[in-house]
Amino acid sequence: MSALYADVIPGISHEQLDKPFRYRVPEEMTEIISPGSVVKVPFGGGNRLITGFVTDLSDEPGFDPARIKPIFKLVSDNELPESRMITIAAWLKAEYGCTMSQALKTVLPVKEKVQKKETRLLKLSDDTQMVEGYLERMRKRNAKARVRLLEALLVAGELDEAAAKKDLKLTLKTVKELTEAGVLTVKSTFTYRNPIEGAGEAPKENIILNEEQAALVAEFKTALDAGEKRPLLVHGITGSGKTVCYIEMIDHVVKEGRQAIVLIPEIALTWQTVRRFQARFGERVSILNSRMSRGERYDQFLRAARGEMDVIIGPRSALFTPFKNIGIIIIDEEHESSYKSENVPSYHAREVSGFIAGLHGASLVLGSATPSVTSYYRAKRGEYRLFTLTRRATGADLATCFVDDMRAELAAGNRGMFSRRLLRAIAERLEKKEQIMLFINKRGYAGFVSCKSCGHVFKCPHCDVSLTFHKGDKLVCHYCGYEEHIEKKCPSCGSTYIYGLRAGTQKVEDSIKQIFPNARVLRMDRDTTSGKDGHTKVLREFAAGNADILIGTQMIVKGHDFPKVTLCCALAADMSLFAGDYRAGENTFELLVQAAGRAGRGERKGEMIIQTYAPENYVIEHAKDQDYIGFFNDEINFRGMMNYPPVSHMLKLSLTARDEDILNRAVSLLKEKFFSGSLEEMGVTFIGPAKEPLYRLADEFRVAVFIKSRDKDILDQMMKCIGDYIRSEQVFRSVFTRWDRE
Ligand code: ADP
Ligand code: ZN
Ligand code: ZN
């Protein structure tokens, strides 16, 4: 049997993560030791023993085995909060193919001190006789400031120094003199800042759950008590009261002495939302967001570790809050792409939540009006439980949705960027002093090419995704690398009216101003929202009614509530629909349904207009009817047919190098070594290499390969084998690699 070695760090801090110490695992421990175990190890010279955490285990000694000392003692396995964080990191490493150090840095907050807030409490001495004698003497000496303070203290008993100084118009000197005379003492305490402190009491929501909501909460409680492990997916249209139900669920968990993590995409984490939680849980709620300094965020983790709060609300990093006994993890708007990390490891909050919930025996609740195809697929297969909320609690109607065929506009001689219906609708809203939102869904847009006469889109014959325009009139597939030359003539209708969609928010604004010179227009994009709170400012202006029309990217339709908006238009729905990514349809459907939800939130019924060259596309048709299930059924057929997730599992390996030849050699080696026939029989496919959308960036060349299989275990093994091979092979020393799990 080969020996086992352990990496041990003496304490949990980012500096120590990079320099673990290696120890031999004595034979009797090999079965019980794991990342997160607390151990005693000999350290430095002599026989000094220190306590440390095991971060990683390996069969390789790394250097001369004779010089590696054995672990002295196993203190405990994974009960400490720090141990749990290491366990989570070990899972991240295995699941996402990163190093242990990268995984640990993801789960452990960066330690950084902030100015702690000091409160100084002034207290009178218990020796009343002495105090009164002193006061008498001061009155005689006409020491007014000292008399004022003493008199106030005799009434109040104790006073906050800062408040006393301000209210009684004192200087620090007065306090010092009284302290030195022994008539008062200063008690100093340090408190950590609660980011929502000082907000005042939030108004209570007086809500009686409707039937559906009550059934959901009851189902949640029963399942939690019964130890149900499957996550609960709540499919509920916007305004059906999901947040109301979350609050009830959390209440149940908190009353049992457990804690709650609530993930909300940062852009939807509005003040109003936080207030609703605060109204119920008061100061036991805290938030995390990217505007907080690292120190402030670290403070929240400290407060959680000390048991000073029960509920944390934040984006995906809030998952790593070191609570002792988590009872519920909620992921609201679970379809949002911001739940997937774009750093290494490229973890998805949904998957990590599942693991963390397992560690704590907690419930995982996912909620959305448009669930991700992955979650809904799992619910259909029984891996998740599904609960549907069908009614809007507020009674407001959903917007009416129209699809405008831009091919028909062109045929009718309209060469502008707005349909005739849209122009009429805008004029009507301006007349009635109602508000309008116009957006371009540029997300993921990589430059597809299509025929403006018949709508034909140039797609990859192998992957069924749009081809992307590249320099030299080339069209390229970003999965398999297939290339073709741009045709000058549409293969479908023969028209020569072929080009990519070019639309920017600036151009939309110019055009609107030309047609409606009196309209007040606000634009929200990267140019107009620089600065810390840039886009909050634009949104606030719009909410205050200081503009008639808000123009922007998809950013403007996420989660904001403007009661006076009664018209919303997706100006170029095709931009994200043909983004060259297998998820393009899903992203577009979500966005269009969300956008429809923006129109008509108040008293007046809203309208949504979708401009497209592909009105017969199933994504557009179901978005028009706001029919999630219809969309899901068509989409899952496509995924199954093309072997895309969630039906198949897919890994992406990105390779980056300064030298193009080395990059090509590295990829050929991988292909030769791992994909030479026998794997196809096991149901594993290798796709690529394909150039990344930005093939050459900062003097580096970037390609990707994809590996697909319906069997997740096989893919996990592949990732490990390929990872080992990459570490052992010379040519990969000058190639940077990273894994991504789709
Ligand atoms: P969601 O999170 O599904 O969008 P919310 O929980 O935000 O829905 O509820 C939408 C609105 O409806 C909120 O203003 C909320 O106060 C109100 N609401 C929800 N449920 C009820 C109810 N049972 N009775 C009265 N108002 C409700
Ligand atoms: Zn055509
Ligand atoms: Zn392809």
Side-chain angles (χ1 to χ4, degrees):
M1 205 183 95
S2 69
L4 188 65
Y5 299 90
D7 280 342
V8 175
I9 50 173
I12 300 283
S13 79
H14 275 234
E15 302 75 63
Q16 301 191 352
L17 295 180
D18 291 328
K19 293 182 254 108
F21 297 93
R22 186 149 286 201
Y23 291 89
R24 188 162 54 72
V25 180
E27 203 156 328
E28 69 275 11
M29 287 181 209
T30 51
E31 294 291 314
I32 42 176
I33 201 165
S34 65
S37 297
V38 181
V39 290
K40 289 254 187 231
V41 290
F43 195 74
N47 289 325
R48 193 161 71 95
L49 286 178
I50 62 153
T51 306
F53 294 93
V54 174
T55 57
D56 212 356
L57 295 166
S58 151
D59 298 329
E60 308 274 333
F63 51 97
D64 180 8
R67 290 175 48 211
I68 302 181
K69 294 179 189 169
I71 291 173
F72 178 71
K73 193 175 147 199
L74 187 62
V75 182
S76 77
D77 37 26
N78 306 345
E79 282 134 31
L80 293 180
E82 291 92 335
S83 300
R84 272 220 183 109
M85 299 322 267
I86 295 173
T87 310
I88 296 169
W91 181 85
L92 283 175
K93 177 192 167 195
E95 187 73 10
Y96 297 100
C98 61
T99 66
M100 192 61 189
S101 173
Q102 287 164 335
L104 282 165
K105 284 179 178 168
T106 304
V107 303
L108 300 172
V110 179
K111 211 177 212 158
E112 197 166 284
K113 285 267 178 291
V114 279
Q115 205 61 43
K116 274 179 274 183
K117 204 175 111 189
E118 189 188 9
T119 357
R120 284 161 59 92
L121 211 57
L122 308 180
K123 245 183 118 175
L124 271 189
S125 157
D126 292 334
D127 189 342
T128 0
Q129 239 181 335
M130 186 264 279
V131 170
E132 273 165 13
Y134 184 81
L135 177 59
E136 213 40 50
R137 290 202 298 284
M138 290 307 116
R139 281 190 178 129
K140 283 190 186 134
R141 273 170 52 184
N142 204 13
K144 283 194 189 132
R146 275 178 271 183
V147 171
R148 269 207 307 281
L149 178 54
L150 281 175
E151 284 176 342
L153 275 170
L154 279 169
V155 176
E158 51 184 43
L159 286 172
D160 177 70
E161 185 186 63
K165 265 168 60 190
K166 194 162 154 253
D167 298 345
L168 304 172
K169 300 198 170 51
L170 305 169
T171 60
L172 267 183
K173 195 169 140 251
T174 315
V175 176
K176 208 168 152 221
E177 283 163 349
L178 291 179
T179 320
E180 276 165 8
V183 287
L184 67 77
T185 52
V186 180
K187 207 176 93 197
S188 155
T189 48
F190 290 94
T191 49
Y192 290 95
R193 212 175 75 89
N194 179 344
I196 60 173
E197 187 183 75
E201 199 157 308
K204 296 262 183 293
E205 276 191 312
N206 246 335
I207 283 176
I208 300 162
L209 297 186
N210 65 31
E211 228 167 90
E212 273 185 346
Q213 296 166 340
L216 168 58
V217 175
E219 148 124 16
F220 166 80
K221 288 182 187 172
T222 316
L224 181 68
D225 295 344
E228 170 67 66
K229 291 196 173 57
R230 289 177 303 155
L232 174 64
L233 175 63
V234 181
H235 176 205
I237 53 172
T238 329
S240 56
K242 292 185 292 298
T243 311
V244 167
C245 295
Y246 299 153
I247 290 174
E248 292 304 322
M249 293 174 185
I250 295 170
D251 196 55
H252 179 71
V253 161
V254 166
K255 283 191 176 130
E256 290 184 340
R258 306 176 75 183
Q259 299 88 40
I261 294 176
V262 184
L263 302 189
I264 294 183
E266 177 131 26
I267 195 145
L269 185 55
T270 59
W271 180 234
Q272 293 103 298
T273 307
V274 175
R275 295 282 273 178
R276 293 172 70 183
F277 284 87
Q278 202 200 353
R280 180 67 72 94
F281 305 105
E283 300 224 319
R284 306 288 295 174
V285 184
S286 192
I287 57 167
L288 284 180
N289 65 45
S290 63
R291 288 188 302 277
M292 293 161 78
S293 70
R294 283 202 295 206
E296 283 175 306
R297 272 180 278 169
Y298 185 65
D299 272 1
Q300 303 320 309
F301 288 125
L302 283 186
R303 292 181 61 226
R306 287 210 221 97
E308 289 172 17
M309 59 159 128
D310 303 318
V311 185
I312 186 102
I313 308 174
R316 59 170 193 263
S317 58
L319 263 187
F320 305 120
T321 308
F323 281 130
K324 292 205 173 68
N325 186 4
I326 299 169
I328 185 170
I329 301 175
I330 293 169
I331 307 185
D332 192 28
E333 313 272 3
E334 69 92 28
H335 61 274
E336 274 291 320
S337 60
S338 61
Y339 286 127
K340 184 161 184 285
S341 171
E342 58 282 356
N343 306 319
V344 179
S346 63
Y347 70 90
H348 196 295
R350 189 202 307 121
E351 312 305 321
V352 187
S353 298
F355 182 74
I356 297 176
L359 284 181
H360 288 256
S363 278
L364 173 57
V365 178
L366 311 168
S368 173
T370 50
S372 64
V373 169
T374 299
S375 294
Y376 205 79
Y377 180 68
R378 290 180 185 170
K380 288 214 114 176
R381 286 161 58 99
E383 293 164 33
Y384 290 178
R385 290 169 293 140
L386 178 65
F387 198 101
T388 312
L389 292 174
T390 54
R391 281 188 293 157
R392 269 196 158 177
T394 47
D397 282 332
L398 291 171
T400 315
C401 200
F402 300 97
V403 173
D404 282 345
D405 184 345
M406 298 311 276
R407 296 169 306 188
E409 296 293 321
L410 189 70
N414 176 9
R415 291 188 166 234
M417 55 168 83
F418 312 114
S419 73
R420 289 159 294 169
R421 188 205 314 268
L422 178 61
L423 289 173
R424 279 197 308 274
I426 293 175
E428 197 186 304
R429 295 311 185 290
L430 291 174
E431 181 81 14
K432 287 202 268 182
K433 307 254 177 289
E434 295 174 357
Q435 286 182 308
I436 300 155
M437 283 172 127
L438 305 175
F439 72 96
I440 300 178
N441 32 322
K442 259 183 158 165
R443 202 192 88 176
Y445 176 67
F448 72 95
V449 172
S450 67
C451 166
K452 298 293 170 284
S453 288
C454 77
H456 175 85
V457 175
F458 291 84
K459 288 192 168 184
C460 173
H462 312 293
C463 307
D464 204 21
V465 296
S466 317
L467 296 171
T468 300
F469 181 77
H470 271 237
K471 270 202 302 249
D473 280 353
K474 266 190 307 195
L475 290 172
V476 179
C477 169
H478 285 305
Y479 286 115
C480 70
Y482 168 86
E483 286 185 10
E484 65 179 42
H485 222 72
I486 285 192
E487 306 259 353
K488 296 278 185 293
K489 230 164 130 184
C490 171
S492 181
C493 75
S495 150
T496 51
Y497 207 44
I498 289 170
Y499 57 80
L501 273 185
R502 280 178 299 264
T505 44
Q506 173 74 63
K507 245 175 87 184
V508 174
E509 184 180 4
D510 295 345
S511 194
I512 281 286
K513 281 183 165 160
Q514 225 168 43
I515 305 171
F516 303 102
N518 295 323
R520 297 168 305 159
V521 179
L522 270 175
R523 194 175 99 231
M524 186 160 118
D525 56 26
R526 256 193 226 124
D527 297 338
T528 61
T529 59
S530 54
K532 204 171 164 191
D533 290 318
H535 67 260
T536 328
K537 222 165 83 194
V538 176
L539 293 171
R540 216 184 298 131
E541 288 274 299
F542 189 60
N546 295 337
D548 307 305
I549 305 179
L550 177 61
I551 295 167
T553 54
Q554 60 277 0
M555 230 152 105
I556 64 174
V557 296
K558 296 260 160 130
H560 311 291
D561 199 349
F562 303 109
K564 273 167 71 189
V565 171
T566 58
L567 174 66
C568 186
C569 178
L571 294 170
D574 303 359
M575 269 193 157
S576 62
L577 186 57
F578 300 118
D581 173 328
Y582 76 89
R583 276 189 253 81
E586 176 175 0
N587 292 336
T588 305
F589 179 82
E590 275 159 10
L591 189 65
L592 294 177
V593 171
Q594 298 270 334
R598 291 309 115 207
R601 304 211 82 187
E603 320 265 274
R604 284 170 278 203
K605 193 168 159 71
E607 257 175 36
M608 165 87 190
I609 294 176
I610 301 171
Q611 299 193 147
T612 175
Y613 290 92
E616 65 292 331
N617 185 292
Y618 67 87
V619 173
I620 304 287
E621 283 190 335
H622 294 306
K624 173 174 182 283
D625 301 333
Q626 299 178 51
D627 172 10
Y628 177 81
I629 292 168
F631 160 74
F632 174 83
N633 289 334
D634 282 343
E635 181 67 19
I636 206 73
N637 270 342
F638 159 67
R639 305 279 181 99
M641 215 139 62
M642 300 306 300
N643 260 321
Y644 285 122
V647 179
S648 205
H649 297 273
M650 184 152 111
L651 286 173
K652 176 183 182 184
L653 176 64
S654 309
L655 301 109
T656 306
R658 282 191 168 266
D659 185 325
E660 208 171 2
D661 290 336
I662 288 182
L663 189 60
N664 291 336
R665 249 203 13 253
V667 176
S668 322
L669 269 178
L670 279 184
K671 266 178 119 163
E672 237 166 72
K673 177 97 184 149
F674 291 95
F675 301 93
S676 43
S678 63
L679 273 163
E680 293 279 346
E681 281 157 38
M682 287 166 68
V684 182
T685 28
F686 179 89
I687 301 149
K691 291 173 179 169
E692 293 265 32
L694 293 166
Y695 174 51
R696 188 174 185 170
L697 185 72
D699 280 330
E700 293 192 317
F701 297 89
R702 311 180 323 144
V703 298
V705 300
F706 295 85
I707 309 166
K708 288 202 262 194
S709 168
R710 296 214 173 191
D711 185 337
K712 179 168 184 288
D713 292 340
I714 293 185
L715 270 195
D716 287 350
Q717 282 169 33
M718 292 283 321
M719 182 163 70
K720 206 172 163 305
C721 289
I722 295 176
D724 288 344
Y725 177 70
I726 285 175
R727 274 185 292 279
S728 71
E729 196 59 38
Q730 188 71 28
V731 63
F732 286 97
R733 301 247 163 103
S734 24
V735 179
F736 173 78
T737 55
R738 72 171 270 187
W739 289 100
D740 214 330
R741 207 177 251 286
E742 294 284 329

